Amino acid sequence: MTPVELSRTVLCAVRRAVDDGELSVVVPGRALVAAPGPGGCGDYATNIALQLARPAGQPPRRVAEVLRPYLLGATGVRDVVVTGPGFLNISLRRAEVSAALVGEILRAGTRYGHAEGPTGQLVQLHAPHEVRAVVVMDAVARVLRSQGALVRTSCATRPEPGWTEVLGARVDAYGTPDSPAPLDVNVRPVPAPVPASSVPASSVPAVLDAVALGRDAGRWALLQPAAHDRPRIGDEHLSQREANPLFRVRYAHARVRALGRNAADLGFGARPGDLDIPEAEAEDSRGAEGARGVAGSQGVGAARVRELEAALADHPRVLAAVAAQRAPDRLARHLVAVADAVVPLFPAVLPRGEEKPLAAHRARLALAEAAGAVLAGGLSLLGIDAPDHL
């Protein structure tokens, strides 16, 4: 059940309470559903009781108690708890929540979180002649377009060939026209540092550092830091070690693709459903054997799965925030969080030994492939390749 579907469920509960004479109110057009606040619990919370209290002529908590049994009878709802002045905290049946989320992501693929079509928003981005500004502008434009905006990019002067040919930055036009109106620079992150060299700095453009790293590492080095932070451009972005966030993201995607190939060799594919993950979390799966749950769920517990599902569900909101704030670093950090959350699931995806593929294995593969779709889509928006092999 998605938040939109849960909102409809809440409104349906209000309508049923009105039909039964429990409440005397006009059913509102929408019900706000969000993550529980401080003191809350469950998967989602709604303030619908506070919203209806005055027209109902009853205290908010009384309204919440009236609505609670109607919500408890709804499909997919496991529990409802009233907290504070009258917040309804809703816990969902995990299998249904997971299957709905994973199914939505797999249907959308790498376009999960994108707008369904043009929104009519027109955006002009204009950057100074500086490598980081141009690459950030390109990434922001990609995300804005994913959210339905029509974007035009320009640079103060012609971009250096390495910025476009190696780093893949697209610039629609360059120069600052005097008419019909001059363009103001509206993409201005802290510039990339000029490399230390025995050659005078004036003869060593800063572009050489980022371009020398290649497209993927060079773009990541420029995009990962927040706009107000100076980027570090060095060999650490090429390192294939856990300390390198770019490597962790690309490695997680490559592992997901490998799991899909291995599953196909074993004769099964991805299908959203019940993950059959034990509630009690075992030891860290990255090297620890831990306790073994039903259907080979070794080393991964429900808490880790919920962390991954929360990160995946948050992807559309992250893309919208990146577009609104023009901050591609937020997307980079989000991809690292998704990668780190999916890795513990990997040992539980494939059957072990003589074990036969079960529905739980198909569901775990589907969850892993959903994470892979988010990673691939996010990297694409940053202009970075998502490899099938690494």
Side-chain angles (χ1 to χ4, degrees), residues 90-109:
I90 304 169
S91 297
L92 303 177
R93 301 185 189 279
R94 299 307 312 172
E96 296 181 22
V97 174
S98 176
L101 173 65
V102 171
E104 179 184 358
I105 296 173
L106 293 182
R107 286 190 296 273

Side-chain angles (χ1 to χ4, degrees), residues 10-379:
V10 171
L11 292 178
C12 182
V14 174
R15 188 172 295 108
R16 290 175 58 199
V18 170
D19 292 344
D20 291 347
E22 296 280 354
L23 292 175
S24 179
V25 297
V26 175
V27 179
R30 64 188 295 267
L32 178 63
V33 171
C41 58
D43 298 299
Y44 296 99
T46 177
N47 65 350
I48 190 68
L50 283 75
Q51 181 181 341
L52 298 177
R54 176 172 293 182
Q58 301 185 47
R61 196 170 181 91
R62 168 59 186 159
V63 175
E65 293 292 353
V66 168
L67 294 176
R68 182 174 180 272
Y70 291 98
L71 284 170
L72 278 172
T75 302
V77 175
R78 180 173 59 84
D79 193 17
V80 180
V81 176
V82 179
T83 60
F87 292 104
L88 287 158
N89 297 263
I90 304 169
S91 297
L92 303 177
R93 301 185 189 279
R94 299 307 312 172
E96 296 181 22
V97 174
S98 176
L101 173 65
V102 171
E104 179 184 358
I105 296 173
L106 293 182
R107 286 190 296 273
T110 58
R111 292 184 57 81
Y112 171 61
H114 290 208
E116 294 182 358
T119 62
Q121 181 187 15
L122 302 176
V123 180
Q124 169 70 58
L125 299 176
H126 188 57
H129 184 263
E130 192 275 321
V131 59
R132 189 184 185 201
V134 170
V135 171
V136 167
M137 178 177 67
D138 177 70
V140 170
R142 290 167 183 259
V143 177
L144 281 167
R145 292 183 182 114
S146 79
Q147 301 303 293
L150 180 63
V151 185
R152 185 175 186 273
T153 61
S154 58
C155 183
T157 57
R158 183 192 291 271
E160 300 299 323
W163 304 356
T164 55
E165 297 171 9
V166 178
L167 296 178
R170 169 185 165 184
V171 177
D172 297 323
Y174 62 89
T176 305
D178 295 327
S179 62
L183 296 175
D184 294 326
V185 171
N186 55 10
V187 181
R188 196 190 291 275
V190 172
V194 175
S197 174
S198 57
V199 182
S202 60
S203 64
V204 183
V207 62
L208 292 181
D209 264 3
V211 172
L213 292 177
R215 174 165 176 157
D216 296 331
R219 289 182 69 100
W220 182 269
L222 296 170
L223 295 172
Q224 184 195 21
H228 57 268
D229 292 332
R230 186 174 295 278
R232 295 183 60 183
I233 304 177
D235 292 345
E236 66 269 18
H237 298 292
L238 299 172
S239 171
Q240 295 197 23
R241 296 183 179 181
E242 190 175 357
N244 179 6
L246 174 60
F247 170 73
R248 299 210 304 275
V249 172
R250 286 156 57 89
Y251 170 79
H253 178 266
R255 280 291 306 274
V256 168
R257 301 295 293 169
L259 286 172
R261 294 191 296 270
N262 292 338
D265 291 341
L266 294 174
F268 76 97
R271 180 180 299 171
D274 187 354
L275 299 169
D276 197 9
I277 297 292
E279 187 67 29
E281 186 169 352
E283 289 186 61
D284 193 325
S285 65
R286 286 171 290 190
E289 287 300 314
R292 188 179 180 100
V294 180
S297 54
Q298 180 176 348
V300 61
R304 289 193 182 278
V305 170
R306 283 195 291 269
E307 178 185 347
L308 172 58
E309 290 172 345
L312 297 179
D314 202 34
H315 187 62
R317 185 195 65 81
V318 170
L319 292 185
V322 170
Q325 300 171 17
R326 301 179 182 179
D329 57 287
R330 293 194 58 172
L331 178 55
R333 292 195 299 272
H334 175 65
L335 296 181
V336 174
V338 171
D340 290 346
V342 73
V343 167
L345 177 68
F346 292 158
V349 171
L350 299 177
R352 292 173 176 269
E354 300 300 319
E355 191 176 22
K356 300 296 183 183
L358 302 177
H361 294 116
R362 294 181 175 88
R364 294 173 200 160
L365 177 61
L367 178 58
E369 291 191 347
V374 167
L375 294 174
L379 286 172

